[in-house]
Amino acid sequence: MESSTPDHADHHAANNNNKKPRNNPNLITTSDHLRHVESMATMPSGAGNISHPNAVILGESLASEENDLVFPSDHFSRQAHVSSPQQYLEMYKRSIEDPAGFWSDIAATFFWKQKWGQPVYSENLDVRKGDIRIEWFRGGITNICYNCLDTNVEAGLGDKIAFYWEGNELGVDATLTYTQLLHNVCQLANYLKDVGVKKGDAVVVYLPMLMELPITMLACARIGAVHSVVFAGFSAESLAQRIVDCKPKVVITCNAVKRGSKVIHLKDIVDAALIESSQSGVSVDVCLTYENQLAMKRESTKWLEGRDVWWQDVIPKYPTTCAVDWVDAEDPLFLLYTSGSTGKPKGVLHTTGGYMVYAATTFKYAFDYSSSDIYWCTADCGWITGHSYVTYGPLLNGATAVLYEGAPNYPDPGRCWDVVDKYKVTIFYTAPTLVRSLMRDSDKYVTRYSRKSLRVLGSVGEPINPSAWRFSSLLLSDSKASLHTQKEWFFNVVGDSKCPISDTWWQTETGGFMITPLPGAWPQKPGSATFPFFGVQAVIVDEKGVEIEGECSGYLCVKSSWPGAFRTLYGDHERYETTYFKPFPGYYFSGDGCSRDKDGYHWLTGRVDDVINVSGHRIGTAEVESALVSHPQCAEAAVVGIEHEVKGQGIYAFVTLVEGVPYSEELRKSLVLAVRKQIGAFAAPDRIHWAPGLPKTRSGKIMRRILRKIASRQLDELGDTSTLAEPNVVDQLIALADV
């Protein structure tokens, strides 16, 4: 994937001293643990003579399908927190060789009622040596809500906007300053204490993206309660499972929400969940309900006297100050249940101190955040992204963030860019699936808006294929643009070819970014998560758990702990050890496959349980999906494995076409050929299933469990589809099964 241009290389060598030639005598000498990042002290191999078609500099030219490298501009790099590979290497080297000192220096910038003791961290990641244990800053007494709000107000940021809130309907909006947010949080915290919520108690939160959602998270944190946010799209059954598992003192919800033109009756879902959980022996005495008048009036809301309480009737009566409950760094902060399709959900438990330090630090560096930025992450707080990079990470940095209640394509596909222009958003963080869905519509929905404020784009949730990456600059073509031009959409169109893309890899379990570009530090390769964040020892191992050197593919693991790591699965430490640490003793196993190229760049290939074994060839579904999406008439693809009497497993591809392109047998053959050309004949899909849309949660996650059932014609085993953004997509896919 490497190639290059004398013009661009010479330009960079002359004008950007961040890029060191390979014979640089000042090159950092590295020890063993740096062997796969030390290449960043030089240009990527072959990049000494980068030919014009194969490298671009941000802001100077467009990225195309042939580009291998996208360089930060000199202007961007000079102002970045990490401005060169050399600076990254120096910081990374210290973070690995002296993690206690590195993270202590960062932790010291936060408020601690009492400093942590020694050692700074302790760990055992090897099941052969006893129970798995990770601790950071044990003995340190702090409070994350205090660090998010009080310290910012005390620093003079009380009048700064903490949140812009954009409602579902055009023209409906609100703001909260840091002082106002603190007052709202204190009122709710006082109420929770008044109804008996104590330090360590759980509170289940089933709210849409109203400002009351982060308010509730922060109020729980202020009094040491453990919040468990459940995405307000899960079914009553799924919600009940989570209530039964963590046994909350209070459930907080709202009566209804409008998402696009649809009204979702959240209180009805909660009522059904509370009935179901009580039948399992877990009763909840208080259901605090916010009246969302824009969606439903209180008189239309079903009500149970004695249990149900209107938020607006009680919370405003409480004082706007509330004493902080100081907690140990290792006290629990929140539970977040992973959305497993079957069996008991996994309650990922994060603690306070290490998570606070890690979420804040990753936010600052991966987005190159500065105090003048306006930040918008499109994720819901029901997912880890909404915890780390909607609520805690931004507020810990004193940032101004946008919260959006509605659907990204309501009332039309230009809504995202309308919001960007309205609030002058500079950092835009979203999922590749949203990018791909918006790409299907006319460019006029993008180009009618300026988007000139955008500075950094971010990607989360799945491996972003190179075509979608290049679309990350969403803005240079008109409505008559060719399909090929549309394939350059996110980079060239949205970001005007000037915005670096932080294509981040991380997980609910990791708490924050693990492998991510630092936007001003090094050239990016579209589709690669690039290099590990500070303190993260990412390794690739084979089936036997042996680390693989150099250019390779295998299982992505992490050696040694980091502050943001989760500490256990709630109530099931044995499952925690079995799932994450037994597969490869001595390592945290991510469950993901990964390739590392000759320059040390990391390429995520998807979940290893999304690996298809075709006649002995292990094929990552993400790899096949990326090849399909490279076809100019394919907007999106999802691949699953099916039983095959000859090959063991066959490849079954659901393909969404660019708007207006008709289904045809010729196109089907062309798509298969695209995979054969990019990967090989062994990876060619056995079946192309036309898909007007894919079954996705409202956060954009593709529900591959449902696709597997459709592909296998196990239509009576589809399970719960209530979490889908568009449940009718399932019926459409079934109807097209034989087309």
Side-chain angles (χ1 to χ4, degrees):
M1 189 157 162
E2 304 343 301
S3 28
S4 9
T5 221
D7 297 275
H8 277 66
D10 293 343
H11 169 88
H12 247 68
N15 295 292
N16 191 348
N17 58 16
N18 296 335
K19 316 296 184 299
K20 308 295 183 185
R22 286 196 175 275
N23 59 0
N24 177 12
N26 298 317
L27 194 66
I28 294 178
T29 55
T30 59
S31 52
D32 189 52
H33 54 251
L34 290 173
R35 64 194 180 280
H36 296 310
V37 297
E38 62 186 357
S39 62
M40 282 319 301
T42 71
M43 294 276 275
S45 61
N49 293 296
I50 298 179
S51 59
H52 181 79
N54 299 309
V56 298
I57 297 172
L58 289 172
E60 295 187 10
S61 52
L62 304 183
S64 75
E65 291 292 335
E66 290 74 35
N67 292 142
D68 296 329
L69 295 166
V70 178
F71 289 90
S73 66
D74 293 340
H75 174 74
F76 193 102
S77 288
R78 279 196 300 269
Q79 300 183 65
H81 293 304
V82 180
S83 60
S84 68
Q86 193 81 357
Q87 184 185 351
Y88 163 74
L89 263 180
E90 290 167 358
M91 295 178 70
Y92 183 78
K93 182 178 181 181
R94 186 187 175 215
S95 75
I96 300 301
E97 294 183 348
D98 178 24
F102 179 87
W103 290 111
S104 287
D105 286 351
I106 293 174
T109 63
F110 296 90
F111 179 85
W112 298 80
K113 190 76 171 174
Q114 175 181 308
K115 192 176 178 182
W116 54 91
Q118 295 296 325
V120 174
Y121 71 98
S122 62
E123 63 183 32
N124 173 42
L125 273 58
D126 193 334
V127 291
R128 298 166 300 191
K129 298 179 180 178
D131 293 343
I132 299 298
R133 184 191 75 261
I134 298 171
E135 294 183 339
W136 282 82
F137 310 115
R138 167 72 75 182
I141 306 299
T142 189
N143 183 287
I144 195 170
C145 175
Y146 188 88
N147 277 284
C148 283
L149 302 180
D150 304 64
T151 57
N152 282 314
V153 172
E154 291 162 9
L157 299 181
D159 293 333
K160 183 176 182 177
I161 301 294
F163 287 121
Y164 288 110
W165 178 75
E166 176 76 3
N168 182 69
E169 303 298 332
L170 287 170
V172 177
D173 52 36
T175 61
L176 276 180
T177 65
Y178 272 88
T179 295
Q180 291 169 332
L181 179 57
L182 175 59
H183 289 170
N184 279 268
V185 166
C186 286
Q187 287 180 314
L188 179 57
N190 284 320
Y191 168 79
L192 291 174
K193 289 201 294 186
D194 214 23
V195 295
V197 177
K198 302 183 297 298
K199 178 180 173 182
D201 287 341
V203 173
V204 163
V205 186
Y206 190 75
L207 282 168
M209 286 298 281
L210 304 173
M211 286 202 278
E212 283 66 29
L213 180 44
I215 286 170
T216 299
M217 296 165 68
L218 291 159
C220 291
R222 192 169 191 85
I223 63 173
V226 181
H227 60 73
S228 181
V229 181
V230 179
F231 173 59
F234 275 115
S235 66
E237 180 184 352
S238 297
L239 177 58
Q241 280 183 316
R242 288 150 175 78
I243 290 170
V244 169
D245 195 60
C246 71
K247 302 174 180 57
K249 284 285 185 72
V250 175
V251 171
I252 300 179
T253 189
C254 75
N255 54 349
V257 65
K258 277 194 75 177
R259 189 167 176 87
S261 57
K262 183 179 180 182
V263 176
I264 302 166
H265 297 87
L266 299 181
K267 177 66 162 49
D268 289 353
I269 296 171
V270 171
D271 288 347
L274 290 174
I275 290 171
E276 189 171 331
S277 62
S278 66
Q279 291 170 348
S280 299
V282 177
S283 296
V284 179
D285 295 331
V286 179
C287 179
L288 181 65
T289 306
Y290 182 83
E291 181 189 0
N292 189 12
Q293 295 181 356
L294 295 170
M296 180 187 241
K297 303 299 183 187
R298 66 168 64 190
E299 5 348 318
S300 304
T301 306
K302 295 175 185 174
W303 207 247
L304 181 61
E305 291 296 337
R307 183 198 70 186
D308 298 344
V309 180
W310 286 113
W311 177 301
Q312 286 92 333
D313 287 353
V314 295
I315 304 305
K317 297 177 181 178
Y318 280 85
T320 56
T321 59
C322 176
V324 171
D325 278 70
W326 301 104
V327 299
D328 188 274
E330 282 300 319
D331 282 343
L333 173 62
F334 65 85
L335 272 174
L336 192 54
Y337 287 89
T338 56
S339 51
S341 57
T342 58
K344 182 183 174 185
K346 296 184 294 187
V348 171
L349 179 69
H350 280 283
T351 53
T352 300
Y355 173 83
M356 174 177 75
V357 172
Y358 199 72
T361 308
T362 48
F363 175 85
K364 173 182 175 181
Y365 285 102
F367 295 127
D368 194 51
Y369 170 77
S370 69
S371 59
S372 59
D373 280 314
I374 306 296
Y375 167 77
W376 181 23
C377 171
T378 64
D380 190 286
C381 287
W383 312 108
I384 185 64
T385 306
H387 284 57
S388 299
Y389 303 119
V390 172
T391 302
Y392 291 117
L395 294 177
L396 288 165
N397 281 278
T400 296
V402 175
L403 300 176
Y404 176 48
E405 176 191 28
N409 59 353
Y410 180 80
D412 64 43
R415 185 64 183 276
C416 282
W417 322 120
D418 177 53
V419 172
V420 165
D421 280 3
K422 179 176 180 177
Y423 298 108
K424 302 293 185 288
V425 171
T426 57
I427 303 171
F428 178 67
Y429 188 42
T430 192
T433 187
L434 174 59
V435 174
R436 292 194 295 268
S437 67
L438 293 175
M439 279 173 55
R440 298 184 66 197
D441 299 294
S442 169
D443 285 1
K444 69 182 181 183
Y445 291 112
V446 184
T447 56
R448 67 168 59 153
Y449 300 101
S450 163
R451 294 152 294 101
K452 296 299 182 186
S453 60
L454 289 173
R455 192 174 70 84
V456 175
L457 301 174
S459 165
V460 61
E462 60 177 293
I464 184 170
N465 62 58
S467 291
W469 194 102
R470 295 182 181 96
F471 309 148
S472 284
S473 273
L474 281 139
L475 217 101
L476 243 345
S477 54
D478 58 27
S479 58
K480 297 178 182 179
S482 67
L483 293 173
H484 179 77
T485 303
Q486 289 178 16
K487 279 295 186 184
E488 311 304 326
W489 207 54
F490 192 41
F491 180 73
N492 292 329
V493 182
V494 175
D496 250 353
S497 309
K498 64 182 175 60
C499 301
I501 299 172
S502 283
D503 185 0
T504 61
W505 175 78
W506 61 300
Q507 300 175 311
T508 302
E509 293 87 346
T510 71
F513 304 142
M514 298 292 280
I515 304 177
T516 178
L518 301 183
W522 54 70
Q524 296 181 48
K525 296 186 180 186
S528 171
T530 72
F531 288 85
F533 192 72
F534 305 127
V536 176
Q537 293 190 57
V539 298
I540 297 174
V541 303
D542 63 17
E543 271 108 349
K544 296 179 180 178
V546 177
E547 290 185 35
I548 316 174
E549 301 297 322
E551 190 174 359
C552 65
S553 293
Y555 301 93
L556 181 60
C557 293
V558 182
K559 184 164 56 176
S560 192
S561 68
W562 62 99
F566 74 132
R567 304 308 198 243
T568 191
L569 292 175
Y570 182 70
D572 200 346
H573 198 73
E574 182 180 357
R575 187 180 183 188
Y576 168 73
E577 295 185 342
T578 300
T579 304
Y580 301 98
F581 299 95
K582 278 190 177 174
F584 302 108
Y587 300 92
Y588 165 77
F589 174 44
S590 69
D592 282 342
C594 184
S595 294
R596 186 172 50 233
D597 68 21
K598 61 180 179 289
D599 299 318
Y601 284 69
H602 293 76
W603 303 77
L604 275 297
T605 56
R607 302 292 297 171
V608 293
D609 54 16
D610 284 337
V611 169
I612 304 171
N613 195 326
V614 180
S615 301
H617 297 285
R618 292 175 57 81
I619 304 165
T621 55
E623 192 176 8
V624 181
E625 290 164 2
S626 187
L628 287 165
V629 174
S630 71
H631 191 287
Q633 292 175 307
C634 175
E636 188 165 29
V639 169
V640 297
I642 54 170
E643 288 187 17
H644 192 286
E645 59 183 12
V646 176
K647 302 175 184 177
Q649 278 189 298
I651 296 175
Y652 195 109
F654 292 83
V655 171
T656 302
L657 299 178
V658 170
E659 195 70 36
V661 175
Y663 305 141
S664 71
E665 193 58 31
E666 183 181 355
L667 179 53
R668 198 190 304 265
K669 292 175 182 176
S670 179
L671 287 162
V672 172
L673 184 61
V675 179
R676 290 174 68 98
K677 286 175 67 176
Q678 284 205 25
I679 305 175
F682 65 91
D686 296 274
R687 180 72 195 277
I688 300 286
H689 186 135
W690 302 123
L694 295 170
K696 299 174 185 174
T697 65
R698 292 185 185 87
S699 69
K701 180 180 179 181
I702 297 171
M703 296 289 280
R704 284 178 169 79
R705 167 181 61 83
I706 292 173
L707 294 179
R708 290 189 191 99
K709 297 300 182 184
I710 293 173
S712 302
R713 303 297 188 267
Q714 297 172 310
L715 303 183
D716 58 342
E717 298 176 24
L718 291 175
D720 183 11
T721 60
S722 66
T723 62
L724 299 179
E726 298 290 344
N728 64 325
V729 163
V730 175
D731 294 331
Q732 293 174 343
L733 291 175
I734 293 171
L736 287 166
D738 298 315
V739 174

